[in-house]
Amino acid sequence: MNTCIFCKIVKGEANSWKIYENEDVYAFLDIHPAARYHTLVIPKKHYTNIFDIPEKELQAVIAAVKKVSKLYEEKLGIKNIQIISNSGAEAQQEVFHLHFHIVPRKRGDGQNLRWVTHSEWVNDFDNMIEKIQ
Ligand code: 5GP
Ligand code: ZN
C-alpha cells in the first residue's frame, strides 16, 4: 500500500526513530507521544488491523511488544506499561496499518484511560454467548 505512512517508515521513505527491528517487525517512537518512550510496534508487511493479519505474523508482532517492554524495564526501570491496539475507525484506529502502542505509565502522569461501564448488561451475558455458538 504505497500511501500508508507506516509502510513508508518501514521502507525508510519517511523518517522514524527506531527502537527495535527484526525480519518481520519494526518498532519506533510515536510522533505524538502520550509518554516518554511511547512506542509503536508494527509488522513490516502491510495489514490493516487484527481482522486481516495472519496469526503467525501477529505472533511476531506481539513477541516484539514483549521484547521492547522488557528492554524498557531493564534499561529504564519502567514497570508500568499499557499495551493498546485499535482495530477499526470506530475503535479509534487512525492509521490503518496494524500497530500496538506501548505506553509507559507512572503515577501522576496526567493520563487516564477510563471506560464508561454497564454492569446491567451482565443480565444479557447468556444471550450474548448464545449468539456466538
Ligand atoms: P491509532 O489511533 O491508529 O491507534 O494510532 C496511530 C498513532 O500513529 C498515533 O498515536 C500517531 O501519533 C502515530 N503516528 C501517525 N503518523 C505518524 C508518523 O508519521 N510517525 C510516527 N512515528 N507516528 C505516527
Ligand atoms: Zn502500511
Side-chain angles (χ1 to χ4, degrees):
M1 222 209 229
N2 54 13
T3 58
C4 171
I5 181 63
F6 287 179
C7 283
K8 283 189 177 152
I9 284 173
V10 168
K11 285 189 243 160
E13 293 169 3
N15 191 28
S16 71
W17 286 263
K18 179 170 89 175
I19 295 296
Y20 171 79
E21 87 177 297
N22 64 29
E23 202 183 333
D24 305 309
V25 179
Y26 190 72
F28 57 105
L29 294 175
D30 193 305
I31 200 82
H32 300 296
R36 285 191 191 272
Y37 295 97
H38 180 167
T39 303
L40 300 172
V41 183
I42 66 174
K44 285 187 171 173
K45 277 201 225 156
H46 183 92
Y47 297 107
T48 304
N49 57 35
I50 194 76
F51 297 112
D52 64 339
I53 188 168
E55 209 173 295
K56 200 158 182 293
E57 313 248 2
L58 182 61
Q59 279 170 8
V61 177
I62 202 71
V65 169
K66 164 81 176 177
K67 210 175 248 302
V68 171
S69 299
K70 286 301 285 180
L71 176 76
Y72 290 167
E73 183 193 35
E74 282 159 17
K75 297 276 188 191
L76 305 169
I78 288 173
K79 296 247 178 267
N80 301 275
I81 277 178
Q82 280 179 318
I83 295 162
I84 298 162
S85 185
N86 303 321
S87 283
E90 291 175 36
Q92 295 183 263
Q93 185 177 11
E94 290 182 0
V95 175
F96 291 90
H97 179 134
L98 178 128
H99 53 279
F100 282 83
H101 295 258
I102 296 177
V103 185
R105 295 294 311 271
K106 59 184 173 198
R107 202 182 306 284
D109 63 11
Q111 302 292 345
N112 185 8
L113 271 191
R114 281 250 176 263
W115 279 309
V116 176
T117 61
H118 298 271
S119 308
E120 69 279 13
W121 292 346
V122 172
N123 298 328
D124 201 31
F125 281 4
D126 289 338
N127 286 330
M128 287 160 51
I129 288 174
E130 184 66 28
K131 278 191 183 139
I132 54 169
Q133 299 311 306

